[in-house]
Amino acid sequence: MKIRKAVIPAAGIGSRLLPLTKATPKEMLPVGDKPVIEHTVRELVASGITDITIVVSSGKSLIQDHFRPNPALVAQLRADGKSAYADAVEEVGELSREGHITYLDQHGPYGNGTPVLNAARHLGDEPMLVLWPDDVFVAEVPRAQQLITAYESTGCPVLALLPMAPGESQRYGVPVVREDLDDGLLRISGLMEKPKPEDAPSAFAAIGGYVVTPGIIDELRIQTENWYTHQTGEVYLTDAINNYAAEHAVYGQVIQGRWYDTGNPADYLVAQFASALAHPEYGPLLRQLVDEN
């Protein structure tokens, strides 16, 4: 089945970036000249996704305002002779139409599996992409498209992977690799969360980005039902993937490209700096500043 739909969970409070995120959603912090969530939306649209659901919580209205078309502003800019700015504003509004962006309020227990299950009820019984809104990927072929290609060759859930240094294993979920199928496609049997370097089952990290199938959604439903029965723990997407992988095929795709995480201050600054260095106008200015200091 062709993947047409995607979910962006955007209900988190961005606690690691406080107080910066006290009033501004972390998804709206700029990386280069775009808020970080726009990078994710652009990646999905460029990969042929035509139905994007952004799962939000209270205080996230700026996300909707950003993508909402604003003909009055565009007309004012054109009247003032600011055609380039008008084109830029109009293009962002066009993303909402191309990606058919809809918004859904998050309901249910804490955990990153809850927004995925919320969206699944809305999107129907189809495979879907799940991308986090605080990741930026720079790649010739969008990460989303690489995941879609892997799904089309396997028909099974797929996780985005990157090679990692052994000492980094305690930061990530590390896949248990059963088979290397070449071209970066790996058959996996589950994930080990943040293992010690000596216990890491492979040299890859799961870095966010999934093709989720109805079987994974069924596992999330089971987790959620158990949570409402016992009122303990959280509902995690990785737990659902692990449970599913115990009896079904799951794959990982090693992504070709550069990943920037913006979820904590240090990584956010790195993403900002890298984006600015790559800009034809700002890059030379920054290089000059570094040379002078």
Side-chain angles (χ1 to χ4, degrees):
M1 185 179 293
K2 183 176 176 59
I3 297 179
R4 303 177 297 113
K5 301 179 179 181
V7 181
I8 303 176
I13 62 173
S15 57
R16 291 182 295 170
L17 289 166
L18 286 168
L20 185 60
T21 52
K22 179 176 180 288
T24 303
K26 66 176 183 177
E27 299 84 6
M28 289 302 297
L29 297 178
V31 172
D33 56 358
K34 302 176 181 66
V36 63
I37 194 171
E38 185 180 328
H39 290 275
T40 303
V41 168
R42 287 181 178 274
E43 177 183 353
L44 290 169
V45 170
S47 300
I49 296 300
T50 58
D51 195 331
I52 300 171
T53 298
I54 301 177
V55 183
V56 297
S57 57
S58 62
K60 302 282 185 168
S61 60
L62 282 179
I63 297 174
Q64 299 181 46
D65 291 341
H66 178 70
F67 289 108
R68 182 180 292 117
N70 192 334
L73 176 59
V74 171
Q76 181 63 56
L77 290 169
R78 296 204 188 282
D80 292 343
K82 300 177 180 178
S83 295
Y85 296 134
D87 291 343
V89 171
E90 203 165 40
E91 186 197 9
V92 173
E94 184 65 11
L95 287 174
S96 184
R97 185 193 66 79
E98 291 184 86
H100 191 226
I101 299 175
T102 56
Y103 301 88
L104 188 67
D105 288 333
Q106 177 167 310
H107 298 285
Y110 187 80
N112 63 23
T114 292
V116 179
L117 183 57
N118 288 167
R121 295 190 180 104
H122 169 70
L123 293 177
D125 195 24
E126 293 184 28
M128 65 186 74
L129 276 165
V130 178
L131 299 186
W132 306 131
D134 48 8
D135 290 340
V136 176
F137 258 90
V138 179
E140 289 186 14
V141 178
R143 164 193 47 167
Q145 183 59 63
Q146 295 181 53
L147 289 170
I148 290 169
T149 299
Y151 171 78
E152 288 174 346
S153 69
T154 64
C156 297
V158 183
L159 286 65
L161 306 176
L162 280 179
M164 69 171 183
E168 296 181 337
S169 63
Q170 289 179 284
R171 297 179 59 191
Y172 304 109
V174 180
V176 180
V177 177
R178 292 182 56 183
E179 185 180 4
D180 187 336
L181 300 170
D182 296 327
D183 295 325
L185 185 63
L186 308 172
R187 171 82 181 270
I188 67 175
S189 58
L191 292 170
M192 185 179 293
E193 280 296 328
K194 301 179 179 179
K196 295 179 180 178
E198 61 269 23
D199 297 328
S202 70
F204 299 100
I207 42 76
Y210 309 84
V211 175
V212 171
T213 60
I216 302 293
I217 299 302
D218 289 341
E219 293 292 342
L220 287 174
R221 288 193 181 99
I222 293 169
Q223 278 193 63
T224 303
E225 289 169 3
N226 289 339
W227 187 91
Y228 279 112
T229 299
H230 303 291
Q231 299 283 309
T232 59
E234 300 172 8
V235 175
Y236 283 118
L237 182 56
T238 50
D239 289 342
I241 292 170
N242 272 334
N243 292 340
Y244 183 85
E247 297 183 5
H248 304 87
V250 175
Y251 291 85
Q253 177 64 52
V254 181
I255 302 299
Q256 300 298 312
R258 183 68 186 268
W259 170 49
Y260 297 101
D261 179 11
T262 67
N264 63 73
D267 288 338
Y268 175 61
L269 288 174
V270 169
Q272 280 278 48
F273 191 62
S275 178
L277 284 177
H279 194 280
E281 180 181 352
Y282 308 143
L285 294 174
L286 279 180
R287 290 185 177 88
Q288 180 181 346
L289 180 64
V290 170
D291 290 341
E292 291 173 354
N293 291 275

